[in-house]
Amino acid sequence: MSEDREIARAVWEGKLPIKFVLAESEMSSVEKPEPFYAMVHRVFYLSQLADKLQRHFIEYINKQQLDEVWFEYSGCKLKWHCPVGLLYDLLAAEESLPWIVTVHLTDFPRSELLRSGNSLDNLQSYFIMSIKEADALRHRSQVMSNLQKSDYNKLWFGFKEANFDQFWSVNRRLIERIYDEPFKYIPFKIYDSELSSKTKLVSPVSYDSAQVTTLWHLLKQVLPEITCAKIANKRLAVLIHGLDVGLDIPVQWLSENLSYPDNFLHIALVSPKSSLD
């Protein structure tokens, strides 16, 4: 597992430079606030920065209108439960860095976004729930059902505090095969530029033909034929962690090595600028 550990560490250590700016429509002060710059782990969530950003910008808004912190990029409202790297890949992968993200402290768009309460407790619940769902798909919940409370804490606090070794000490058990058998199903979600997602029960091996399921096989099982044609014609790129991954790679390997900390493969379908009409 040493090679797998190094791949996982490299994925973990990927970061994005982000420039956070306060929405001009919310400024009540004549003086404009300085942007907030941060190097953010691609596998993190924007909501992990909500408290710092609120403290940085709150003096420049009408505090009586203070609401939950939310984020926007180029008119697109950003979902707090999508990892940072996924959002960037879907919306801004070909833009220059730092990525400029607009911060809102008022007028939360409750009809368009789910509330998180800017609470790390809510994020923790979502994060652990995702890991449980992934284990149910991979191992029929055999791993998570045997974890102790201390193991759950290592997963969450290791992730929250960017302590890879603490997180990996438990997570490695979630990506290992049981009795050297492939996973039952692959935990994954496929996203488009509207931030909508698709998923399906897909096995890493066809039990009828014993054929190994590749990324291309998975995409063809889930996506419409017209979308697959765009991928085949290079009008859509398939990105995982910003990487244009090979379509012939087995999904078992991808799930073992390129899953996000929530144990899902988050797959971005991106239209390269050169392919746009």
Side-chain angles (χ1 to χ4, degrees):
M1 293 291 290
S2 60
E3 181 182 356
D4 297 343
R5 178 188 178 95
E6 292 313 306
I7 295 173
R9 185 186 293 275
V11 167
W12 179 282
E13 292 178 348
K15 293 183 179 180
L16 279 172
I18 303 181
K19 175 183 177 180
F20 293 96
V21 298
L22 181 64
E24 290 191 12
S25 62
E26 300 182 11
M27 295 182 192
S28 62
S29 169
V30 175
E31 180 186 1
K32 289 188 176 182
E34 290 294 320
F36 184 97
Y37 290 90
M39 290 293 294
V40 183
H41 285 271
R42 288 180 57 95
V43 298
F44 274 16
Y45 302 89
L46 288 173
S47 55
Q48 288 173 263
L49 295 167
D51 285 345
K52 287 183 179 180
L53 292 167
Q54 179 173 300
R55 289 195 298 270
H56 182 78
F57 290 121
I58 194 170
E59 296 302 324
Y60 300 90
I61 70 164
N62 182 342
K63 295 179 184 177
Q64 293 182 337
Q65 297 177 347
L66 181 65
D67 203 335
E68 181 175 326
V69 178
W70 57 284
F71 303 90
E72 186 177 17
Y73 170 72
S74 191
C76 179
K77 298 171 180 61
L78 304 180
K79 297 180 178 180
W80 64 265
H81 51 282
C82 288
V84 170
L86 173 67
L87 292 170
Y88 175 78
D89 292 343
L90 287 167
L91 302 173
E94 296 190 343
E95 301 297 327
S96 59
L97 294 172
W99 185 26
I100 302 175
V101 174
T102 300
V103 179
H104 293 266
L105 302 185
T106 67
D107 297 325
F108 186 89
R110 57 186 179 182
S111 65
E112 300 175 71
L113 292 177
L114 291 174
R115 285 189 177 274
S116 71
N118 293 152
S119 166
L120 287 182
D121 289 339
N122 290 339
L123 180 58
Q124 178 183 3
S125 296
Y126 174 81
F127 182 72
I128 295 299
M129 180 184 68
S130 294
I131 295 178
K132 287 182 176 180
E133 183 180 353
D135 187 51
L137 291 166
R138 284 176 176 156
H139 303 122
R140 300 186 180 90
S141 301
Q142 293 180 63
V143 179
M144 290 295 285
S145 62
N146 289 318
L147 295 186
Q148 305 297 317
K149 183 177 180 181
S150 60
D151 296 319
Y152 283 77
N153 288 337
K154 287 178 181 178
L155 285 171
W156 169 244
F157 287 105
F159 172 71
K160 182 173 75 76
E161 297 169 7
N163 186 330
F164 174 80
D165 291 325
Q166 182 181 31
F167 175 80
W168 184 256
S169 67
V170 178
N171 194 69
R172 62 179 179 79
R173 293 152 60 184
L174 292 160
I175 64 169
E176 289 177 342
R177 303 186 187 202
I178 296 178
Y179 305 121
D180 205 32
E181 292 291 323
F183 299 151
K184 178 65 174 175
Y185 299 110
I186 299 296
F188 72 93
K189 295 177 184 178
I190 303 173
Y191 300 79
D192 59 27
S193 60
E194 301 297 320
L195 304 187
S196 60
S197 65
K198 296 179 182 292
T199 191
K200 188 177 181 179
L201 292 179
V202 175
S203 299
V205 176
S206 172
Y207 294 99
D208 294 332
S209 63
Q211 181 185 43
V212 172
T213 303
T214 66
L215 178 58
W216 182 232
H217 293 142
L218 180 148
L219 295 172
K220 289 196 293 184
Q221 289 188 49
V222 178
L223 300 174
E225 186 174 335
I226 189 172
T227 304
C228 291
K230 290 180 180 179
I231 294 171
N233 294 328
K234 308 296 185 184
R235 296 187 64 195
L236 275 180
V238 181
L239 304 183
I240 303 176
H241 297 294
L243 303 173
D244 194 346
V245 293
L247 299 180
D248 60 344
I249 299 177
V251 292
Q252 175 78 31
W253 188 92
L254 290 173
S255 187
E256 290 171 343
N257 293 281
L258 294 185
S259 291
Y260 279 72
D262 68 359
N263 277 251
F264 273 76
L265 282 171
H266 294 289
I267 303 169
L269 300 182
V270 179
S271 297
K273 284 186 176 180
S274 59
S275 72
L276 297 176
D277 296 332

